[in-house]
Amino acid sequence: MTTRLSTKPKKRMVIGISGASGAALAVDLLQCLREHPEWESHLVVSNSAEITLRLETSEELNHVMELASHCHSIKNIGACIASGTFKTEGMIVVPCSMKTLSGIATGYSDNLLLRAADVTIKERRPLVLVVRESPLSTIHLRNMLTLSELGATIMPPMITHYNKPMNMADLTRHITGKILDKFGIEVRGFRRWCADEVQ
Ligand SMILES: Cc1cc2nc3c(=O)[nH]c(=O)nc-3n(C[C@H](O)[C@H](O)[C@H](O)COP(=O)(O)O)c2cc1C
């Protein structure tokens, strides 16, 4: 008698890193996702994000790419994540620049990150945009409203005080927790609010 081992297919998440400030958020999110072996990450990094990663973090691009299960070139418009037939649970753009926000809002899919987001919207899958700019212009706000009305979650990486962060790592981890919570993924160190626990 032969026993057939059935391996459960992994859940897939598309992660786009664009060139807004906050590249460290993407690194933390990828690290947290690695702690969940039932998930498979598909990463695409914009050209500008390569610059912000270098300017804002001490991370090598290669190391960041190694955190993902699969990496796709921003130029590879024929990658699996460019098609709706490739099943995913959704997409996160972290951080999301105003340029990438604009491309997604208008369906101007001239790179793989934008195409993958366009696919996520057309397939009506969850799309979380960790938009970062300050102050926000009316153009930025209009683009956010357009995408919110289409069902995307607009989640600026706002600092929180109620979780009593001690440092940048705490602040970053709280934002990662909020993002991954949208996909039912628990994050180590993420403190949910519970007024009863406040001394
Ligand atoms: C250090 C640095 C920080 C930046 N921060 C932001 C930002 O917070 N928000 C934003 O929209 N653009 C920011 N930019 C500008 C974007 O990188 C630029 O608009 C770029 O064209 C975005 O391209 P992408 O969306 O394809 O990644 C920043 C650029 C640099 C170099």
Side-chain angles (χ1 to χ4, degrees):
M1 197 171 85
T2 54
T3 311
R4 192 182 296 161
L5 290 171
S6 68
T7 47
K8 214 173 159 201
K10 295 194 176 203
K11 291 186 267 188
R12 296 175 181 140
M13 177 88 77
V14 182
I15 295 163
I17 311 181
S18 72
S21 185
L25 291 167
V27 177
D28 191 59
L29 186 133
L30 285 165
Q31 279 165 345
C32 286
L33 202 52
R34 267 171 80 91
E35 295 180 13
H36 295 266
E38 71 277 21
W39 282 88
E40 177 180 296
S41 54
H42 285 258
L43 178 66
V44 54
V45 182
S46 79
N47 295 332
S48 305
E50 291 188 25
I51 298 172
T52 50
L53 268 164
R54 196 170 62 240
L55 293 176
E56 294 186 338
T57 75
S58 51
E59 301 288 345
E60 293 287 333
L61 177 63
N62 280 350
H63 174 243
V64 175
M65 285 162 59
E66 279 166 14
L67 293 172
S69 319
H70 301 274
C71 262
H72 306 282
S73 160
I74 190 83
K75 290 187 238 155
N76 185 8
I77 215 70
C80 54
I81 57 171
S83 170
T85 59
F86 186 73
K87 286 226 168 191
T88 74
E89 302 300 317
M91 178 170 181
I92 300 164
V93 184
V94 56
C96 181
S97 76
M98 295 304 107
K99 181 199 153 203
T100 286
L101 174 80
S102 162
I104 299 171
T106 53
Y108 187 73
S109 305
D110 77 335
N111 67 40
L112 181 62
L113 194 163
L114 293 172
R115 170 63 187 167
D118 202 35
V119 165
T120 306
I121 292 170
K122 86 182 172 74
E123 299 297 334
R124 300 183 187 277
R125 296 171 185 156
L127 175 64
V128 178
L129 303 174
V130 185
V131 291
R132 222 260 22 142
E133 188 48 278
S134 185
L136 293 161
S137 75
T138 306
I139 296 170
H140 304 151
L141 291 164
R142 281 200 182 116
N143 285 334
M144 287 184 211
L145 179 62
T146 297
L147 286 164
S148 177
E149 286 174 345
L150 288 169
T153 298
I154 307 296
M155 194 182 286
M158 292 191 180
I159 59 165
T160 47
H161 296 271
Y162 62 81
N163 56 324
K164 307 230 169 64
M166 304 289 285
N167 47 41
M168 281 295 281
D170 289 352
L171 285 168
T172 301
R173 184 52 57 91
H174 192 73
I175 291 162
T176 298
K178 291 208 48 149
I179 299 167
L180 291 182
D181 208 32
K182 284 276 153 219
F183 296 88
I185 301 170
E186 286 294 329
V187 165
R188 202 169 31 83
F190 175 54
R191 294 183 62 195
R192 293 174 190 281
W193 172 251
C194 180
D196 298 344
E197 287 173 9
V198 176
Q199 303 296 318

Short mmCIF file of all heavy atoms in Angstrom, two decimals, residues 9-10 13 26 40 58 60 67 97 100 102 115 126 129 135 137 140 163 167 171 182 188:
data_model
loop_
_atom_site.label_atom_id
_atom_site.label_comp_id
_atom_site.label_asym_id
_atom_site.label_seq_id
_atom_site.Cartn_x
_atom_site.Cartn_y
_atom_site.Cartn_z
N PRO A 9 -1.45 23.64 -0.29
CA PRO A 9 -0.86 24.77 -1.03
C PRO A 9 -0.74 26.00 -0.13
O PRO A 9 -1.58 26.23 0.72
CB PRO A 9 -1.86 25.01 -2.17
CG PRO A 9 -3.09 24.27 -1.82
CD PRO A 9 -2.75 23.25 -0.79
N LYS A 10 0.32 26.75 -0.35
CA LYS A 10 0.53 27.95 0.47
C LYS A 10 -0.37 29.08 0.00
O LYS A 10 -0.73 29.16 -1.17
CB LYS A 10 1.99 28.38 0.37
CG LYS A 10 2.92 27.36 0.97
CD LYS A 10 4.29 27.93 1.18
CE LYS A 10 5.16 26.91 1.87
NZ LYS A 10 6.29 27.47 2.57
N MET A 13 0.82 36.00 -1.13
CA MET A 13 0.67 37.44 -0.92
C MET A 13 1.63 38.18 -1.85
O MET A 13 2.81 37.82 -1.92
CB MET A 13 1.05 37.78 0.52
CG MET A 13 0.98 39.23 0.84
SD MET A 13 -0.62 39.68 1.38
CE MET A 13 -0.58 39.04 3.05
N ALA A 26 8.77 47.83 4.97
CA ALA A 26 8.69 46.67 4.07
C ALA A 26 9.58 45.55 4.58
O ALA A 26 9.21 44.37 4.54
CB ALA A 26 9.11 47.08 2.65
N GLU A 40 3.24 32.40 1.24
CA GLU A 40 4.29 32.53 0.21
C GLU A 40 4.25 33.98 -0.26
O GLU A 40 3.18 34.47 -0.62
CB GLU A 40 3.91 31.58 -0.92
CG GLU A 40 4.79 31.58 -2.13
CD GLU A 40 4.25 30.57 -3.15
OE1 GLU A 40 4.23 29.36 -2.86
OE2 GLU A 40 3.82 31.03 -4.22
N SER A 58 20.03 50.10 6.47
CA SER A 58 21.37 49.51 6.30
C SER A 58 21.25 48.17 5.58
O SER A 58 22.20 47.38 5.55
CB SER A 58 22.02 49.33 7.67
OG SER A 58 21.13 48.64 8.52
N GLU A 60 20.96 45.50 2.56
CA GLU A 60 21.34 45.28 1.16
C GLU A 60 20.09 44.84 0.40
O GLU A 60 19.30 44.04 0.93
CB GLU A 60 22.39 44.16 1.07
CG GLU A 60 23.73 44.49 1.67
CD GLU A 60 24.51 45.49 0.82
OE1 GLU A 60 24.29 45.51 -0.40
OE2 GLU A 60 25.32 46.23 1.39
N LEU A 67 14.40 37.74 1.68
CA LEU A 67 13.34 37.57 2.69
C LEU A 67 12.05 37.06 2.07
O LEU A 67 11.19 36.50 2.75
CB LEU A 67 13.06 38.90 3.41
CG LEU A 67 14.18 39.45 4.31
CD1 LEU A 67 13.83 40.86 4.79
CD2 LEU A 67 14.42 38.53 5.49
N SER A 97 4.23 55.12 -2.65
CA SER A 97 4.51 56.53 -3.02
C SER A 97 3.28 57.13 -3.69
O SER A 97 2.38 56.42 -4.15
CB SER A 97 5.70 56.60 -3.98
OG SER A 97 5.28 56.19 -5.27
N THR A 100 3.11 55.91 -7.32
CA THR A 100 2.53 54.57 -7.47
C THR A 100 1.04 54.61 -7.17
O THR A 100 0.23 53.99 -7.87
CB THR A 100 3.29 53.57 -6.58
OG1 THR A 100 4.57 53.33 -7.20
CG2 THR A 100 2.56 52.25 -6.43
N SER A 102 -0.93 57.06 -7.72
CA SER A 102 -1.56 57.66 -8.90
C SER A 102 -1.68 56.64 -10.04
O SER A 102 -2.73 56.54 -10.70
CB SER A 102 -0.71 58.85 -9.33
OG SER A 102 -0.98 59.21 -10.63
N ARG A 115 0.91 46.80 -12.47
CA ARG A 115 0.09 45.78 -13.10
C ARG A 115 -0.49 44.81 -12.05
O ARG A 115 -1.66 44.46 -12.09
CB ARG A 115 0.90 45.03 -14.16
CG ARG A 115 0.26 43.79 -14.73
CD ARG A 115 -1.03 44.08 -15.50
NE ARG A 115 -1.71 42.84 -15.88
CZ ARG A 115 -2.94 42.75 -16.33
NH1 ARG A 115 -3.68 43.85 -16.48
NH2 ARG A 115 -3.46 41.60 -16.65
N PRO A 126 -8.21 41.72 -1.82
CA PRO A 126 -7.79 42.79 -0.90
C PRO A 126 -6.50 43.49 -1.35
O PRO A 126 -5.54 42.83 -1.75
CB PRO A 126 -7.57 42.06 0.43
CG PRO A 126 -8.34 40.80 0.32
CD PRO A 126 -8.32 40.41 -1.14
N LEU A 129 -2.80 49.70 0.81
CA LEU A 129 -1.82 50.69 0.35
C LEU A 129 -1.32 51.49 1.55
O LEU A 129 -2.09 52.24 2.18
CB LEU A 129 -2.46 51.62 -0.68
CG LEU A 129 -3.06 50.93 -1.91
CD1 LEU A 129 -3.79 51.94 -2.79
CD2 LEU A 129 -1.97 50.20 -2.70
N PRO A 135 2.88 67.14 3.67
CA PRO A 135 1.42 67.05 3.72
C PRO A 135 0.86 66.42 2.46
O PRO A 135 1.59 66.25 1.47
CB PRO A 135 0.99 68.52 3.84
CG PRO A 135 2.11 69.31 3.23
CD PRO A 135 3.36 68.53 3.47
N SER A 137 -1.53 66.51 -0.85
CA SER A 137 -2.20 67.47 -1.73
C SER A 137 -3.59 66.95 -2.07
O SER A 137 -3.92 65.78 -1.81
CB SER A 137 -1.40 67.65 -3.03
OG SER A 137 -1.58 66.51 -3.86
N HIS A 140 -3.34 63.88 -4.18
CA HIS A 140 -3.10 62.65 -3.40
C HIS A 140 -4.39 62.17 -2.75
O HIS A 140 -4.73 60.98 -2.81
CB HIS A 140 -2.06 62.90 -2.30
CG HIS A 140 -0.76 63.45 -2.79
ND1 HIS A 140 0.05 64.26 -2.03
CD2 HIS A 140 -0.12 63.31 -3.98
CE1 HIS A 140 1.13 64.60 -2.71
NE2 HIS A 140 1.04 64.03 -3.90
N ASN A 163 -0.05 52.34 22.27
CA ASN A 163 0.66 51.08 22.52
C ASN A 163 2.00 51.31 23.24
O ASN A 163 2.79 50.39 23.41
CB ASN A 163 0.89 50.33 21.20
CG ASN A 163 1.62 51.17 20.17
OD1 ASN A 163 1.41 52.37 20.09
ND2 ASN A 163 2.47 50.55 19.38
N ASN A 167 10.60 52.77 20.92
CA ASN A 167 11.60 53.08 19.89
C ASN A 167 10.99 52.89 18.50
O ASN A 167 9.81 52.51 18.38
CB ASN A 167 12.83 52.18 20.06
CG ASN A 167 12.40 50.73 20.24
OD1 ASN A 167 11.48 50.26 19.56
ND2 ASN A 167 13.04 50.02 21.15
N LEU A 171 7.39 51.18 16.91
CA LEU A 171 6.46 51.90 16.03
C LEU A 171 6.25 51.13 14.72
O LEU A 171 5.15 50.95 14.24
CB LEU A 171 7.01 53.30 15.70
CG LEU A 171 6.94 54.36 16.79
CD1 LEU A 171 7.78 55.56 16.43
CD2 LEU A 171 5.49 54.78 17.02
N LYS A 182 -5.01 42.66 8.46
CA LYS A 182 -6.02 42.70 7.38
C LYS A 182 -6.13 41.34 6.69
O LYS A 182 -7.12 41.06 6.00
CB LYS A 182 -5.65 43.77 6.35
CG LYS A 182 -5.93 45.16 6.80
CD LYS A 182 -7.38 45.54 6.54
CE LYS A 182 -7.88 46.58 7.51
NZ LYS A 182 -9.24 46.42 7.96
N ARG A 188 4.13 38.95 15.94
CA ARG A 188 4.79 38.95 17.25
C ARG A 188 5.08 40.39 17.68
O ARG A 188 5.59 41.18 16.89
CB ARG A 188 6.11 38.17 17.12
CG ARG A 188 6.67 37.61 18.36
CD ARG A 188 7.81 36.64 18.05
NE ARG A 188 8.58 36.94 16.86
CZ ARG A 188 9.58 37.81 16.80
NH1 ARG A 188 9.98 38.46 17.87
NH2 ARG A 188 10.23 38.01 15.67
#
